Amino acid sequence: MRDPRPAEAPVDNTGIIDLSVNALAQHTNEERLRQALLGLAARNDLSGLMRYPPVNGSARHRQAGAAWIAQTTRLAVDPALVLPTAGGQNAMHLALAAVTRPGGSLLVEQLSYPAVKPLAGLLDLRLVPVAMDGEGLVPDALEQAARAHGAHALYCMPRLHNPTTVTQGLERRQAVMAACRRAGILVVEDDVYGFLADDPGPPPLAALEPERVLFLTSLSKNLMPGLRTGFLLCPPPLMDRVRTLLRATLLGVNPLGAELAAEFILSGAALESASQRRALVAERQAQARRLLPGAASDPACPHLWLPLPEPWRREDFARALLSRGVRVTPADAFAVARGTRPTPCASASAGWSGWMCWNRGCAPWRACSPNPPPWGRVLSRETA
């Protein structure tokens, strides 16, 4: 799998415009980082940031994590149940390791965040794709897959799903959790894009079944990926196992990064940044609709999920764009099983800040697909 870490700018040293990674422009937060570092340097209690950190993180860092979850979901949580992590990927690793065992199965949406695949390999898990429709996971299919494969863990993204941009409604979330109760499924809920929603919308799965759901979020998409700070909300019965996993892998989260993150959150800077990010994404999505008629991804999402016109195949379309200087991600990257044949689609980041770069990136797309089909909900199909 290609290295998910973005270059410093959307145009790399080969001249390729890279729209394959959901990375928002960082320069808007440079001044916030500078001021936070100056404030930190002026403090007289820096020695606490130089020691081995407590595996739970400090009380202030847990409080910040609980505050960020509340700010982005309206879910009030006990800070004692929140663990600081080294970014969303680390939170995902800890959560999946806590709810599975080597050799077991993990239920996932049939189109899913690509990084779940290497994590499953690391944990010796078999991925079981679950059918989706225009509202996300299909509850009956979830329950059937769980019973057929003896799976008791699910990883999913109910809000601003990557890649389809779908957000599950309340009734669908309730039905998904009812299926999880019947099949004895523990859930890892990924909400890393949730801060981009203008309205928190339906309550997260963690609010519907707090004893069954591990909820993860991160500051990478909002503030800066180099901060490497995320948060994991754990049900009390799983807290000891997650702490053990965190101690075994990291000892504890870097207290300097966690302190900067806490300052951003508790001062309101993180919310201010989120508002700016939402405005940037909305602007780019509006531009995409002008430049690419037929594009209708959720306007809060930092990427486009576009159907391809006949007779294009996914890989051929991506290669054609690359030959014209633009890199996108074909739908195959999100398929979690070889038996899954994705609808012909491609994903392109809409988050870069420069209008000229985004306009240049879309021009070859228009050239390759002069008559894009009307947008409908992008679904995936199972091979017959």
Side-chain angles (χ1 to χ4, degrees):
M1 190 178 74
R2 199 175 68 80
D3 188 339
R5 293 171 297 183
E8 286 297 316
V11 181
D12 64 22
N13 56 14
T14 67
I16 298 295
I17 297 174
D18 191 352
L19 301 180
S20 68
V21 178
N22 270 345
L24 299 172
Q26 297 305 314
H27 64 81
T28 55
N29 278 320
E30 285 183 2
E31 185 58 28
R32 288 190 180 95
L33 178 59
R34 183 177 296 108
Q35 293 304 318
L37 288 170
L38 289 172
L40 193 61
R43 285 168 38 173
N44 59 8
D45 60 346
L46 295 182
S47 61
L49 303 179
M50 298 167 60
R51 305 188 185 102
Y52 284 113
V55 69
N56 286 6
S58 72
R60 172 175 160 84
H61 300 163
R62 295 194 302 274
Q63 178 190 1
W68 181 241
I69 293 170
Q71 289 168 6
T72 54
T73 68
R74 297 199 187 116
L75 174 62
V77 300
D78 181 354
L81 300 179
V82 177
L83 286 176
T85 66
Q89 192 75 8
N90 176 235
M92 199 173 155
H93 182 190
L94 294 170
L96 293 180
V99 299
T100 62
R101 293 295 183 271
S105 296
L106 174 65
L107 300 158
V108 291
E109 292 139 328
Q110 63 183 131
L111 294 173
S112 189
Y113 174 44
V116 74
K117 290 186 273 190
L119 268 180
L122 180 67
L123 297 172
D124 189 23
L125 301 175
R126 184 166 62 93
L127 294 177
V128 177
V130 178
M132 300 172 68
D133 61 15
E135 294 184 73
L137 277 172
V138 177
D140 289 345
L142 172 63
E143 191 169 357
Q144 291 168 10
R147 298 193 188 284
H149 295 273
H152 296 285
L154 165 69
Y155 167 77
C156 63
M157 195 177 288
R159 182 161 62 155
L160 297 179
H161 176 260
N162 183 7
T164 67
T165 83
V166 167
T167 291
Q168 292 179 11
L170 176 58
E171 288 187 8
R172 175 57 60 90
R173 296 183 190 209
Q174 291 171 331
V176 165
M177 293 314 301
C180 289
R181 281 197 306 275
R182 291 191 296 269
I185 299 169
L186 295 174
V187 181
V188 176
E189 179 179 11
D190 189 334
D191 195 51
V192 296
Y193 293 108
F195 73 95
L196 288 169
D198 285 326
D199 186 305
L205 304 182
L208 300 178
E209 299 271 351
E211 74 285 353
R212 191 175 293 280
V213 180
L214 294 92
F215 177 95
L216 70 91
T217 185
S218 166
L219 296 178
S220 295
K221 303 297 183 185
N222 178 23
L223 287 168
M224 54 203 76
L227 196 59
R228 305 312 307 138
T229 302
F231 300 100
L232 182 61
L233 173 64
C234 301
L238 288 172
M239 181 60 81
D240 283 347
R241 177 161 172 78
V242 175
R243 274 197 299 251
T244 298
L245 290 163
L246 185 56
R247 183 183 297 111
T249 53
L250 287 179
L251 290 180
V253 173
N254 175 6
L256 180 58
E259 180 59 26
L260 286 171
E263 180 60 27
F264 286 133
I265 293 168
L266 298 176
S267 70
L271 268 184
E272 184 181 70
S273 174
S275 178
Q276 292 175 344
R277 299 301 201 193
R278 285 193 291 271
L280 169 64
V281 168
E283 179 186 355
R284 291 295 170 263
Q285 286 279 358
Q287 290 167 353
R289 283 163 176 72
R290 292 194 296 270
L291 294 166
L292 302 171
S297 298
D298 190 306
C301 227
H303 67 273
L304 306 174
W305 182 240
L306 297 172
L308 304 182
E310 294 292 344
W312 282 108
R313 295 175 58 207
R314 297 175 297 275
E315 302 87 346
D316 293 340
F317 189 80
R319 280 194 293 267
L321 280 183
L322 188 59
S323 72
R324 290 165 169 80
V326 178
R327 180 179 289 115
V328 297
T329 304
D332 305 73
F334 304 95
V336 297
R338 292 180 180 178
T340 301
R341 185 176 69 242
T343 299
C345 295
S347 174
S349 171
W352 294 111
S353 63
W355 158 252
M356 290 301 294
C357 183
W358 178 235
N359 191 29
R360 284 173 53 204
C362 286
W365 192 302
R366 293 200 307 272
C368 288
S369 54
N371 297 301
W375 176 265
R377 282 293 189 190
V378 179
L379 310 178
S380 56
R381 304 189 293 268
E382 292 296 323
T383 301

